[in-house]
Every structure is written in structure tokens, then in C-alpha cells.
Amino acid sequence: MNATTATTRTTEIVLPGVVEPAGLQVQVRDLPAPGRGQVVLRMDATGVSFAEQQMRRGKYYDQPAFPFVPGYDVVGTVVAAGPGVDRDLRGHRFAVVTKVGGWASHLIVEAADLVPVPDGVDAAAAETVVVNGVTAWQMMYRTAKVKRGDTIVVLGANGGVGSTLVQLARHAGIKVIGTASARHHDAVRELGAIPVDYRDPNMYDRIRELAPEGVDAVFDHVGGPALHDSWRLIRRGGALVNYGSAATKDEAGNAMLPVLKLFGQLMVWNLLPNGKRAGFYNFWAGKRFRIAAFRARLRDDLTQVLQLVKAGVLTPQIAARIPLSDAASALALAESRTVLGKVVIVPEP
């Protein structure tokens, strides 16, 4: 049957509105044939990131109107190709960042967004480092620009981004202080970081004891009032990199307000004549106006991260593998703050 006219049945997880995880819905429908430059991807692994947790609350910046299918990134196999696409892509595994739409058994994506997954790398393993790996890589090397011999702080060192950051930094010869709950300290230590209990009311004092001269970078996904404490840890020449606002995810009101406050605070700090930098990491920066450059940068960075997985330098932290039909349990588990690594959603057995 011609790949451009074949009908593909897909099962999708729908977020109907601001609901608890149990409120997710399952729908089955026929996908249209892929258009020019598009492919149909059979999902081999997707996952739960902090973005979906915010979207469930209607708190993620620039999320689509309800209802929609969440799913920020996917690893899958090409099963059909539209006009203008190399048919040899079929049967090969790729990673793709979707922002939404990934929680589906099959989905249509742009062929230009596909990044090859190296042979021998498990789909779930690759999934853990798609958005998380690119985020960690770009924050380290493109934003903070840390180098061998530096000292950094990673908040949430047991999380998907955090655990990847720790491993990348240690591979690069960087000292890491990582915050996590006490139950994860052994695992964080095994990854190569010095663990500090984030529940300790004197957490920042403890970090200062470990780095009395300050640190070269803090990677903070929490935001909120404690962001000031992260800023105070930075020494001259260092950088505060914020990439989220977990502290405000349960606050009622406009989703943009915490973001605007955050941007305002970071801008003020950047104006201070103390040689320190503060910035917000935006995964999608540059896509709207320079799509080709954005895709090239993403492809280059993700390719390097996936090669590190293949080489055994990065050990993907898979918290659980949960079937697509039970995505509600996957989301609830990710939100429980009890896991090490990323909750991965996989096809039905």
C-alpha cells in the first residue's frame, strides 16, 4: 500500500482541561496520511516531564488550548513517509521533540525534526535524554559555559534534567553539589555529586560550607523566593541559570505572572556591577525566527548526548516504564517527587 495514502490507527492520551492525573482521557482515531515533508512515527517511548505537570494545571507558558494530547518528546520508528521524504527512513528509530502530541501510539511529525538514535541504544534510555539531555547540555555549555575545574550546584539532582546534568558535569571534570531528598543521597553520590538534603532549612548554609568561595554556576528549576539564595551562592564570573518555576506550579492565577516576575528579577541582577550573570534557559529560543539554525543546534547537541549514552558515559535514569494506556499513573508518579530519573511511557505490552 502507498505510504502516503495508508491509514494509521492511533491511540492518544488527551488532557481535557485542568484535571487531576486520573482525569486524562484515552481516544482512538485514524491519522491522516503524512503530508509533504512529514512521517508517521510509531512511538517506542515517550515520557513525563515537568512541562506536562504544569500543563495539567494550565500553568505552562504558551501551551495550546484544551483539549490536547500532551507529550514533550518521543523516540519512535518511522512507519510511513509523505511526499518529499526519503523512503529509506522507514524502519529506523529517531528521537524528536514535539512539545505536545507525544503521548500517542502513532503521530505525525516533520521529517526535518528527526534525530537518529544510535544502534544499540534502548528506546527508553534514549527517551530519558531527549529534552532532558539537550537542556542539560545547552545550559552547561551554551548558557553557563562551565569548564573543567569549576564547581556547580544542581538543584533536584535526582530528577530527569538534574541527574543528566550531574553526569555531564562529572564527565567534564566539574565538581557538583546536588540537592535531593535524603532517600536519594546514595544514588546522587553514585552519579558523582555531593548530596545535600533539600528539605534541610539550612540547605544553603550547608552548600556554602562545601564551597566557601562561592560556585561557578547554579542550575535552578525551582524559582520562587529561594532564587535569591541561589544567586548569593554565585561568585564573580559565575552564572545563575534558571529553567523553571516549580515553586509556583500550584499557585492560582495567570500562568504568565510568575514568569514575568522571574524575568524581571533576572534582568535586575544582570544590571548589577558584580561580574555575575543570571539568565532563564528557554529550550525553544530562536525557533520562531531561525528555524533552520534551531534545528541544526538541537540535532548537534542531541547527537552528542546520545553518543555519550551509547559510549556508557551517561547512564539514563529510568524511574519506571508504564504503558501508554496507564499514562495517568505515569503522571501521578512523576508528580509524587519520590522518583529518581524520568518516568517513561511505553507502548502496550
Side-chain angles (χ1 to χ4, degrees):
M1 187 178 291
N2 190 306
T4 61
T5 60
T7 299
T8 302
R9 197 86 164 151
T10 183
T11 300
E12 300 174 322
I13 305 300
V14 178
L15 183 57
V18 178
V19 296
E20 293 300 312
L24 292 172
Q25 299 172 354
V26 180
Q27 75 175 14
V28 178
R29 68 182 180 95
D30 289 332
L31 285 178
R36 177 164 293 278
Q38 295 181 327
V39 300
V40 176
L41 203 65
R42 184 193 69 223
M43 184 270 287
D44 296 328
T46 180
V48 185
S49 65
F50 184 65
E52 287 94 10
Q53 299 172 44
Q54 289 181 301
M55 288 178 185
R56 179 182 73 75
R57 298 168 170 83
K59 300 284 288 183
Y60 187 81
Y61 172 66
D62 202 30
Q63 72 182 72
F66 295 116
F68 64 91
V69 177
Y72 218 86
D73 55 10
V74 182
V75 170
T77 301
V78 173
V79 294
V85 177
D86 185 351
R87 294 297 189 268
D88 289 341
L89 295 182
R90 289 182 293 184
H92 292 279
R93 178 173 285 168
F94 296 89
V96 61
V97 180
T98 52
K99 195 172 188 179
V100 294
W103 291 4
S105 64
H106 298 78
L107 62 157
I108 294 175
V109 300
E110 298 295 320
D113 290 327
L114 298 175
V115 178
V117 174
D119 292 340
V121 175
D122 174 67
E127 162 59 25
T128 65
V129 298
V130 181
V131 165
N132 289 346
V134 171
T135 297
W137 181 276
Q138 292 183 347
M139 287 197 302
M140 275 184 55
Y141 292 115
R142 296 186 183 273
T143 306
K145 299 178 180 177
V146 290
K147 60 188 184 301
R148 181 173 296 275
D150 283 353
T151 299
I152 67 172
V153 173
V154 176
L155 301 189
N158 61 299
V161 175
S163 60
T164 307
L165 262 170
V166 171
Q167 294 181 79
L168 286 176
R170 292 303 299 135
H171 178 62
I174 295 167
K175 177 182 176 181
V176 184
I177 300 168
T179 72
S181 62
R183 74 169 73 188
H184 295 306
H185 280 195
D186 286 344
V188 168
R189 194 176 289 110
E190 188 173 335
L191 291 176
I194 302 170
V196 175
D197 192 347
Y198 80 84
R199 289 192 173 95
D200 184 345
N202 298 313
M203 181 187 83
Y204 284 95
D205 291 333
R206 171 65 178 143
I207 294 173
R208 290 188 190 91
E209 291 174 3
L210 294 169
E213 296 181 1
V215 300
D216 299 286
V218 176
F219 299 93
D220 186 321
H221 70 294
V222 180
L227 195 65
H228 290 77
D229 294 303
S230 291
W231 174 248
R232 295 187 189 102
L233 292 175
I234 306 294
R235 61 181 165 211
R236 187 173 186 85
L240 168 63
V241 182
N242 175 259
Y243 63 106
S245 187
T248 63
K249 67 180 173 61
D250 292 322
E251 291 183 4
N254 191 310
M256 275 300 297
L257 189 57
V259 178
L260 292 174
K261 288 182 177 178
L262 182 62
F263 285 175
Q265 181 61 78
L266 296 174
M267 287 177 62
V268 169
W269 282 337
N270 272 325
L271 295 174
L272 299 176
N274 55 17
K276 300 177 0 178
R277 294 175 287 124
F280 183 84
Y281 170 78
N282 176 12
F283 184 94
W284 301 100
K287 182 177 183 182
R288 181 170 298 178
F289 302 108
R290 300 182 63 202
I291 182 65
F294 173 85
R295 281 172 166 158
R297 183 175 67 243
L298 174 58
R299 186 181 303 110
D300 289 348
D301 294 347
L302 180 52
T303 296
Q304 295 201 64
V305 172
L306 287 170
Q307 287 298 330
L308 290 177
V309 173
K310 182 177 177 64
V313 171
L314 274 179
T315 302
Q317 303 299 303
I318 302 172
R321 302 175 193 236
I322 297 177
L324 178 67
S325 61
D326 200 16
S329 295
L331 181 55
L333 178 60
E335 292 190 6
S336 70
R337 301 180 69 184
T338 62
V339 299
L340 175 70
K342 186 169 186 176
V343 177
V344 176
I345 294 172
V346 296
E348 299 303 307

